[in-house]
């Protein structure tokens, strides 16, 4: 409606006729598929200039820049607005698209640098590929001349800045390892299953001896700490071969027999409803029951 009123007003005043078309030679055209290639010279520079006119069906211009490697692309657009100084709304749109056709830079009437006659952008850490530059008029009475300049600086992936170790998660507290061997006197590790092979003409049969079920295991308390609901102990797996989640823990002098949990390669945990002094009174060892 605003454009209709403007056309009627201009015609009534005898002014220039406002174009009623889209600014393109065809509404079905896809100019980005025929973008003009811009070659990067030995100095890493590129340049192109031209003119646009909405009324002459030259509303936009597309350029294609092929980046040969990872790098940094800087672009500078110098604009010569139309001679009509009364056109305060003039702005030449400027955007850059990635090889996936995603806008990685945009500058038009909705952005902070609207109406500027010089527009710049610096795009860093770009992967190699074909990038598109789109220049376009936004008003039906607009026309402009422009010069597009650019520089490319190649950077290898090894030169990219790293935030290591900022993104590395903190490790959980490691279990305390005693300086001396804390295994009980006379303790021996479980033997591996013995494989017995029969001999003779008959097919060889493999007989596997199952280990004897564990009835009770004695282990040393490696650490004591106060937690909500009681006292937590850290049990050394080195002195409790065969320990597993769900076994009961027993300390002399304490009636509570909680289940052990969080069994790892070197330790297990259990929480007693007792004070640290009561736990220490058990002699520094715990008995694990199935």
């Amino acid at each position: 409606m605003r454009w209709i009123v403007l056309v009627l007003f201009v015609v009534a005043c005898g002014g220039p006729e406002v174009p009623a078309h889209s600014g393109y030679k065809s509404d079905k055209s896809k100019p980005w598929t025929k973008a003009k290639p811009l070659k990067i010279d030995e100095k890493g520079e590129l340049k192109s200039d031209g003119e646009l006119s909405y009324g002459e069906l030259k509303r936009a211009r597309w350029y294609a820049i092929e980046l040969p490697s990872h790098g940094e692309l800087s672009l500078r657009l110098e604009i010569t607005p139309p001679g009509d100084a009364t056109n305060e709304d003039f702005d030449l749109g400027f955007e850059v698209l990635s090889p996936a056709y995603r806008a990685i830079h945009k500058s038009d009437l909705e952005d902070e640098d609207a109406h500027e006659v010089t527009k710049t952008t610096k795009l860093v850490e770009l992967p190699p590929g074909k990038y598109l530059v789109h220049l376009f008029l936004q008003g039906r009475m607009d026309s402009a001349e422009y010069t597009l300049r650019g520089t490319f600086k190649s950077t290898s992936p090894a030169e990219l800045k790293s935030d290591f170790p900022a993104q590395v998660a903190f490790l959980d507290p490691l279990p305390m390892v005693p300086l001396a061997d804390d295994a009980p006197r006379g303790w021996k590790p479980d033997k591996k299953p013995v494989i017995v092979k029969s001999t003779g003409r008959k097919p060889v049969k493999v007989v596997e001896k199952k280990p004897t079920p564990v009835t009770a295991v004695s282990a040393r308390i490696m650490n004591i700490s106060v937690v909500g609901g009681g006292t937590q102990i850290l049990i050394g797996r080195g002195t409790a071969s065969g320990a597993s989640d769900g076994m009961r823990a027993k300390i002399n002098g304490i009636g509570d027999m909680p289940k052990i949990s969080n069994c790892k390669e070197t330790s297990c945990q259990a929480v007693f409803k007792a004070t640290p002094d009561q736990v220490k009174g058990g002699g520094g060892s715990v008995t694990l029951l199935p």
Side-chain angles (χ1 to χ4, degrees):
M1 181 62 70
R2 182 170 64 89
W3 284 112
I4 295 176
V5 174
L6 179 60
V7 170
L8 294 176
F9 176 78
V10 172
V11 172
C13 296
E17 183 178 353
V18 177
H21 49 73
S22 64
Y24 299 96
K25 294 182 179 180
S26 172
D27 294 336
K28 297 181 180 180
S29 63
K30 298 179 180 180
W32 55 89
T33 61
K34 299 179 181 179
K36 179 181 178 181
L38 287 183
K39 293 185 178 181
I40 301 174
D41 61 19
E42 297 178 354
K43 297 181 180 180
E45 299 177 350
L46 57 89
K47 177 185 176 183
S48 181
D49 51 26
E51 59 180 17
L52 297 174
S53 174
Y54 195 108
E56 297 178 6
L57 301 176
K58 295 189 296 183
R59 180 181 182 181
R61 190 63 186 268
W62 289 82
Y63 292 101
I65 303 175
E66 187 76 30
L67 300 188
S69 62
H70 282 80
E72 174 183 295
L73 179 63
S74 299
L75 296 174
R76 177 185 177 89
L77 179 63
E78 301 171 359
I79 306 167
T80 302
D84 186 2
T86 61
N87 189 357
E88 299 178 355
D89 294 332
F90 171 79
D91 181 74
L92 181 59
F94 172 37
E95 65 177 354
V96 182
L97 282 72
S98 71
Y101 296 97
R102 180 176 60 88
I104 55 178
H105 172 76
K106 183 179 74 71
S107 172
D108 57 22
L109 286 171
E110 298 178 354
D111 297 295
E112 295 181 357
D113 58 352
H115 312 300
E116 295 290 339
V117 295
T118 300
K119 298 185 177 184
T120 60
T121 182
K122 185 176 183 180
L123 306 170
V124 299
E125 297 185 11
L126 297 179
K130 185 173 72 172
Y131 292 78
L132 297 178
V133 177
H134 182 204
L135 308 179
F136 56 97
L137 298 173
Q138 301 169 78
R140 292 178 180 268
M141 299 296 293
D142 289 347
S143 63
E145 295 180 358
Y146 65 87
T147 298
L148 178 65
R149 307 176 190 273
T151 57
F152 173 70
K153 179 181 178 182
S154 177
T155 57
S156 65
E159 297 176 357
L160 301 179
K161 294 182 179 180
S162 172
D163 60 353
F164 180 84
Q167 301 298 328
V168 179
F170 288 101
L171 297 176
D172 295 332
L174 299 176
M176 181 174 58
V177 179
L179 297 177
D181 186 5
D182 60 350
R185 182 175 297 177
W187 173 83
K188 295 181 179 179
D190 292 341
K191 296 182 179 180
K192 296 182 178 179
V194 179
I195 299 177
V196 180
K197 296 183 179 181
S198 63
T199 59
R201 297 179 179 179
K202 295 182 180 181
V204 177
K205 294 183 179 180
V206 178
V207 181
E208 181 178 343
K209 292 185 178 181
K210 297 182 180 179
T212 304
V214 178
T215 56
V217 178
S218 179
R220 186 177 298 276
I221 299 175
M222 300 175 62
N223 188 32
I224 298 175
S225 59
V226 179
V227 297
T231 301
Q232 178 177 281
I233 65 171
L234 189 66
I235 306 167
R237 282 290 300 273
T239 61
S241 178
S244 60
D245 290 351
M247 297 182 72
R248 294 283 182 177
K250 178 177 175 58
I251 295 178
N252 293 334
I254 300 178
D256 184 26
M257 295 177 60
K259 293 182 178 181
I260 66 174
S261 62
N262 198 23
C263 282
K264 301 178 180 179
E265 184 177 355
T266 58
S267 65
C268 298
Q269 294 179 354
V271 178
F272 283 83
K273 295 181 180 178
T275 65
D277 291 337
Q278 290 175 321
V279 173
K280 293 178 181 178
S285 62
V286 60
T287 302
L288 304 180
L289 303 173

